[in-house]
Amino acid sequence: QVQLVESGGGLVQAGGSLRLSCAASGRTFRGYGMAWFRQAPGKEREFVAGIRWNTGATYYADSVKGRFTISRDNALNTMYLQMNSLEPEDTAVYYCAAGPIPLQWPNPLGYNYWGQGTQVTVSS
């Protein structure tokens, strides 16, 4: 059974930092892309950042570029999202996702595995 499990969410003040983790089990993800999406109340799910597992090539939404960093650890089969300079607008449920290459990174329909999500709340 393939599972993606997010952790690391919580409550933080504006300007603070959090590090999210996505632990994958059931298979390795070579030949896949993995990404972070987020969804705020009343909003559609939006792409945050993505990484191609084989090469480490990364992609970022304009709203987080320069503040967030996506990475992965091949040995641990784990993906991370380091979030710095957090803003109240970053408040959302953050989801880990994986899909086969090629991907249109911002499109959630291309991803066939999803985690349950972890809540990130940024206070003013």
Side-chain angles (χ1 to χ4, degrees):
Q1 181 180 354
V2 175
Q3 286 188 312
L4 303 176
V5 180
E6 302 96 337
S7 62
L11 175 65
V12 65
Q13 292 183 349
S17 298
L18 286 173
R19 191 189 195 195
L20 306 183
S21 298
C22 173
S25 62
R27 64 160 295 159
T28 61
F29 287 91
R30 300 195 69 82
Y32 274 67
M34 296 187 71
W36 291 96
F37 288 77
R38 66 187 183 187
Q39 188 165 22
K43 302 292 185 180
E44 293 187 346
R45 190 166 298 187
E46 66 171 338
F47 173 81
V48 177
I51 187 166
R52 183 164 180 173
W53 200 261
N54 286 354
T55 67
T58 58
Y59 308 87
Y60 294 94
D62 288 342
S63 59
V64 306
K65 194 174 299 182
R67 300 189 297 122
F68 292 8
T69 303
I70 189 170
S71 62
R72 86 276 191 263
D73 188 317
N74 289 333
L76 297 179
N77 225 28
T78 300
M79 180 178 65
Y80 305 96
L81 185 68
Q82 178 66 47
M83 305 186 293
N84 298 327
S85 301
L86 283 163
E87 303 168 353
E89 293 75 18
D90 297 315
T91 295
V93 177
Y94 283 70
Y95 296 92
C96 175
I101 299 297
L103 282 173
Q104 291 181 300
W105 293 97
N107 187 352
L109 295 179
Y111 299 81
N112 53 356
Y113 300 109
W114 291 85
Q116 293 293 105
T118 185
Q119 177 71 48
V120 172
T121 303
V122 184
S123 62
S124 300

